[in-house]
Amino acid sequence: MAPRRLGQHFLEDSSVVDSIIAAADLRSTDTVVEIGPGRGALTGELVSRSGRVLLIEYDDDLADGLAAKYETNPGVRVLNADARDFGSDLDPWLTEGPYKVVGNLPYYAANPIVRNFLESTRKPTTMVIMVQREVARDMAAQPGEMSLLSVAVQVYAEAVHVIDVPPECFNPPPKVHSTVLKLTPTPVPTVQFESAEDFFNLVRKGFKSPRKQLHNSLSDGLFIPLQDARSLVELTGFETSRRPATLSIADWQVLYDTWVKQGRPAQVPGSTRRKRNDRRDG
Ligand code: SAM
C-alpha cells in the first residue's frame, strides 16, 4: 500500500510520548509488541525500558530503517507485516509468556488490529493504543452510548481513557483528534457464550437499525416478524422501548441467553456463520 494511505502521522510531542510510556507501565523483563513504530517516536523508550520489543511495521522502507537501526540488538525484532493479520498465537516471543501491546495505530486499520489481539488465543496483558477520538469513545462507551464496537471491545477488555491528543502533536497533523486508551483484557470474556460467532451475530443484528427500538432493530436484523422480535425482548424483561445503545454487556448476555433458549429465531438469507474476513465493525 502507498505510504500516504498507511495513516502515517508521526508523533512529535514528547509529553504525549511520556503519557503513553507511563500508561504502559513497563518492566525490564517485559515483552512488548509495538504496532506501527514508524520513525520510532515511541520505540527508543520501549527498547530502553523493557526486555524484548517486537516491532510490526507494514511500510517496507520504515521497517528496513528500523531493522538496520536495531540490527545488533538481540532484544529487538522487526516484522515487516500487516498487524491486522499478525498471529500472536504463533510468534515464539509471545507464546513463551505474557506480553504488552503499545501503538499509535494507523486509524484506517485500528479496529481490526485491536480485534486481532483481543480475540487471539494469546491475548496481551495490556494494550496502550492511540486511536481516533470518536473510536476511543465508542470503545470505552457506557450504556446509553454503546455501539457494536463498544460491545466487541468490552466483551474482552476493560477500556480506560488515558489522554486526548490534538492534531498539532503530529507531523503531518491528521484531520481528526486522537485519544490514548488503555485496554486490559479480562482473564475470560465478560459474556459467557457457547460460540463468540453466534453471540456477535446477534449483537450485529441488534444494532442493524441503531436508532430504532431494540425489537424493531432485531426484527430488521434477524429478518423475523416484528411481533416475534417484540416477544423476544419481552421475555428478557427489558422495556420494549429500549434502544440497542442502552444495553450493557450484562444485558446482551440476558438477550443472548433468551435468544439461545428460544432456538435462535432468525430467518437470515444464506449462512448465519461469519466468515473469517467478514469484519464485524464493517
Ligand atoms: N509510532 C509512530 C509515531 O507515533 O510517530 C507512527 C505512527 S503512524 C500513526 C502509524 C504507523 O503504522 C505508520 O508507521 C504506518 O506505516 C504503520 N502502519 C500502517 N498500517 C499498518 C498495518 N496494517 N500494520 C502495521 N503497521 C501499519
Side-chain angles (χ1 to χ4, degrees):
M1 197 187 286
R4 70 177 181 285
R5 296 189 54 207
L6 288 177
Q8 294 181 338
H9 300 280
F10 299 104
L11 195 50
E12 293 207 328
D13 186 312
S14 60
S15 69
V16 177
V17 173
D18 291 347
S19 298
I20 293 173
I21 298 297
D25 191 22
L26 299 171
R27 301 282 177 271
S28 59
T29 51
D30 280 345
T31 297
V32 179
V33 176
E34 185 185 0
I35 311 293
R39 296 178 185 157
L42 300 167
T43 315
E45 290 292 333
L46 298 176
V47 171
S48 64
R49 288 163 187 261
S50 49
R52 294 190 299 199
V53 183
L54 178 61
L55 305 171
I56 306 179
E57 174 55 62
Y58 200 14
D59 181 294
D60 299 348
D61 293 337
L62 292 172
D64 286 351
L66 289 158
K69 180 168 181 183
Y70 292 108
E71 196 178 12
T72 57
N73 187 335
V76 180
R77 275 170 51 216
V78 182
L79 287 185
N80 183 195
D82 184 339
R84 290 172 295 183
D85 301 328
F86 170 70
S88 54
D89 47 345
L90 298 175
D91 189 276
W93 277 11
L94 310 189
T95 51
E96 281 168 10
Y99 71 97
K100 297 174 176 172
V101 168
V102 176
N104 172 12
L105 299 184
Y107 296 166
Y108 78 93
N111 292 2
I113 290 173
V114 169
R115 280 186 48 205
N116 185 19
F117 280 93
L118 289 186
E119 295 179 8
S120 74
T121 51
R122 292 289 308 163
K123 298 182 203 341
T125 51
T126 58
M127 295 182 80
V128 177
I129 49 166
M130 177 124 61
V131 294
Q132 190 176 328
R133 184 174 60 186
E134 291 71 20
V135 171
R137 278 187 190 150
D138 252 11
M139 287 181 172
Q142 296 297 309
E145 299 186 331
M146 300 280 281
S147 66
L148 180 55
L149 179 60
S150 324
V151 179
V153 168
Q154 293 175 31
V155 161
Y156 293 110
E158 182 195 355
V160 174
H161 175 277
V162 176
I163 184 179
D164 289 325
V165 184
E168 53 272 20
C169 293
F170 303 87
N171 183 17
K175 290 198 175 77
V176 296
H177 283 252
S178 307
T179 293
V180 178
L181 273 188
K182 182 166 185 172
L183 305 180
T184 305
T186 50
V188 291
T190 57
V191 170
Q192 288 181 307
F193 36 58
E194 275 170 41
S195 132
E197 193 176 317
D198 255 11
F199 174 76
F200 284 113
N201 184 34
L202 175 69
V203 179
R204 194 165 59 246
K205 306 297 184 194
F207 278 106
K208 176 80 190 331
S209 307
R211 276 186 276 279
K212 291 189 181 173
Q213 293 181 341
L214 180 60
H215 61 283
N216 284 299
S217 191
L218 283 169
S219 169
D220 288 353
L222 294 169
F223 296 97
I224 56 175
L226 195 56
Q227 189 46 47
D228 292 3
R230 183 189 282 270
S231 306
L232 178 63
V233 174
E234 280 169 356
L235 276 172
T236 62
F238 301 159
E239 293 289 331
T240 49
S241 60
R242 289 185 68 175
R243 292 173 204 281
T246 68
L247 269 66
S248 66
I249 298 292
D251 291 336
W252 280 108
Q253 173 86 71
V254 172
L255 182 63
Y256 172 72
D257 290 344
T258 309
W259 183 61
V260 169
K261 247 187 238 153
Q262 290 296 102
R264 296 173 175 77
Q267 296 163 3
V268 183
S271 170
T272 58
R273 299 277 156 191
R274 186 160 60 94
K275 297 190 190 87
R276 177 150 171 65
N277 291 327
D278 171 10
R279 304 236 185 263
R280 179 183 313 140
D281 46 350

